[in-house]
């Protein structure tokens, strides 16, 4: 408080000095010499120089006004500084919030892009896997179809070859059968093999012919041979039928005696049913009293 009072005293003294100086100047144009105490007073407000009048006491009401003003100014400055600090803090907080929001949005977008990229990659991988699976299935199906076709072709070829071979074998067999039949019948025809009227006995010349027949049968292979007996039209049909059967049986028995396998031979009597020549003359009737061979596969 002492210092505060000193300030008040200094202010009051300065005012007094200003008034006194002004009066002195107005009264005397020559400036008055500043007393020594004035300089000392500027250095120490509490100093009262010798010869100088004592400063009057400042009224309490006058001294309180500057302090109140300073406090208000100080408070105003502090409030202004606080307001400015708050404004800056708010700005910084808002900027930080904006930055955080931007970063959060950027992170959200990055996360979303990552999720979308992952989903896309998974979809592409799934599509590629599906395509590969379908391609593999297609490859297997084509491979299976090709194998089945190859097997079918091979089977068809086998069957065709088998059929061709069978047909060729049958053709050869038929050719052999026909050749055997023709050879047998040609021999008995050329040798004029025949029986006496109403006889079934094989003559000596007939046995010589049958020797040749045995050789031909040996070359015919695995066949069955029917020996058919025939007659002319002289006599009854029943009698001729019986005689023709006896003639066929006699030839078969002779062939067996000469070594032909009996399982290959059968004897059938046709009687007068199948004449080879006319029964109106002796030569024709002789030709009809014959045997004839039919050959077939066994």
């Amino acid at each position: 408080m002492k210092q505060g009072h000193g300030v008040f005293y200094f202010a009051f003294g300065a005012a007094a000095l200003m008034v006194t100086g002004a009066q002195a100047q107005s009264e005397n144009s020559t400036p008055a010499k500043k007393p020594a105490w004035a300089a000392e007073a500027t250095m120490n407000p509490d100093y009262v120089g010798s010869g100088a009048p004592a400063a009057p006491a400042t009224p309490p009401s006058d001294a309180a006004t500057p302090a109140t003003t300073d406090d208000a100014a100080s408070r105003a400055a502090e409030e202004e500084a606080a307001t400015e600090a708050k404004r800056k803090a708010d700005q910084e907080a808002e900027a930080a919030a904006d930055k955080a929001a931007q970063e959060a949005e950027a992170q959200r977008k990055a996360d979303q892009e990552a999720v979308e990229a992952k989903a896309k990659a998974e979809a592409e991988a799934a599509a590629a896997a599906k395509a590969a699976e379908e391609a593999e299935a297609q490859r297997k199906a084509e491979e299976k179809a090709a194998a089945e076709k190859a097997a079918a072709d091979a089977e068809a070829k086998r069957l065709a070859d088998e059929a061709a071979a069978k047909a060729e074998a049958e053709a050869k067999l038929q050719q052999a059968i026909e050749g055997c039949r023709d050879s047998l019948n040609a021999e008995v025809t050329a040798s004029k093999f025949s029986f006496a009227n109403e006889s079934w006995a094989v003559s000596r010349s007939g046995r010589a012919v049958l020797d040749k027949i045995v050789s031909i049968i040996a070359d015919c292979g695995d066949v069955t041979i029917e020996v058919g007996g025939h007659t002319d039209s002289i006599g009854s049909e029943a009698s001729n039928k019986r005689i023709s059967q006896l003639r066929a049986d006699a030839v078969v028995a002779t062939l067996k005696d000469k070594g032909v396998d009996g399982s290959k031979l059968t004897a059938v009597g046709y009687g007068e049913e199948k004449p080879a020549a006319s029964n109106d003359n002796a030569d024709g009737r002789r030709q009809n009293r014959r045997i004839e061979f039919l050959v077939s596969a066994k």
Side-chain angles (χ1 to χ4, degrees):
M1 295 300 293
K2 182 176 181 181
Q3 183 177 0
H5 288 301
V7 172
F8 297 152
Y9 292 154
F10 172 74
F12 182 79
L17 288 175
M18 290 175 64
V19 172
T20 303
Q23 290 176 351
Q25 185 175 5
S26 62
E27 292 176 359
N28 189 0
S29 57
T30 303
K33 185 178 181 181
K34 186 180 291 187
W37 61 265
E40 294 176 354
T42 61
M43 300 298 294
N44 186 359
D46 293 334
Y47 175 77
V48 179
S50 61
T58 303
S61 58
D62 295 337
T65 302
T68 302
T69 303
D70 289 344
D71 290 343
S74 177
R75 284 194 299 274
E78 290 175 356
E79 291 176 357
E80 184 178 356
T83 301
E84 180 64 17
K86 184 176 183 301
R87 184 185 66 78
K88 289 183 178 180
D90 291 343
Q91 288 180 345
E92 291 175 355
E94 184 178 357
D98 290 342
K99 183 178 179 182
Q102 292 176 358
E103 291 176 350
E105 179 64 14
Q107 184 62 38
R108 184 191 68 77
K109 289 183 177 179
D111 293 342
Q112 183 177 352
E113 290 176 354
V115 170
E116 292 176 352
K118 182 181 178 183
K120 182 180 179 182
E122 290 176 350
E124 290 176 349
K130 183 179 180 182
E133 183 179 353
E134 291 176 349
E136 179 65 12
Q138 181 66 25
R139 184 191 66 78
K140 288 183 177 179
E142 292 176 353
E143 186 177 272
K144 181 180 179 182
E148 290 176 350
K149 184 177 183 301
D153 291 344
E155 179 64 12
K157 185 177 184 302
R158 184 189 69 79
L159 292 175
D161 292 344
E162 186 178 275
K166 183 179 179 181
E168 183 179 0
E170 289 177 350
K172 287 181 178 180
L173 178 60
Q174 186 62 32
Q175 184 178 3
I177 288 171
E178 292 176 358
C180 177
R181 180 202 63 198
D182 293 344
S183 296
L184 293 171
N185 291 323
E187 181 60 33
V188 293
T189 300
S191 301
K192 296 183 179 182
F193 182 89
S194 183
F195 295 91
N197 189 29
E198 295 184 1
S199 174
W200 52 87
V202 178
S203 64
R204 182 175 297 183
S205 60
R207 293 181 69 88
V209 173
L210 291 181
D211 285 337
K212 296 178 181 178
I213 294 298
V214 171
S215 297
I216 295 172
I217 290 174
D219 294 334
C220 288
D222 193 14
V223 294
T224 59
I225 300 172
E226 175 190 292
V227 178
H230 300 270
T231 68
D232 57 23
S233 61
I234 303 300
S236 67
E237 291 183 5
S239 176
N240 288 334
K241 188 84 167 179
R242 182 180 65 83
I243 293 172
S244 66
Q245 183 65 48
L246 291 172
R247 287 173 177 171
D249 291 338
V251 171
V252 168
T254 304
L255 292 174
K256 287 181 180 180
D257 290 342
K258 293 180 177 293
V260 177
D261 185 1
S263 65
K264 290 184 176 183
L265 302 173
T266 59
V268 178
Y270 291 96
E272 58 185 79
E273 299 173 5
K274 297 180 178 182
S278 174
N279 283 304
D280 293 337
N281 54 71
D283 186 59
R285 288 190 293 271
R286 182 191 62 78
Q287 293 182 46
N288 289 333
R289 296 190 297 271
R290 73 192 188 280
I291 58 169
E292 190 171 294
F293 295 97
L294 292 177
V295 182
S296 61
K298 191 172 183 179

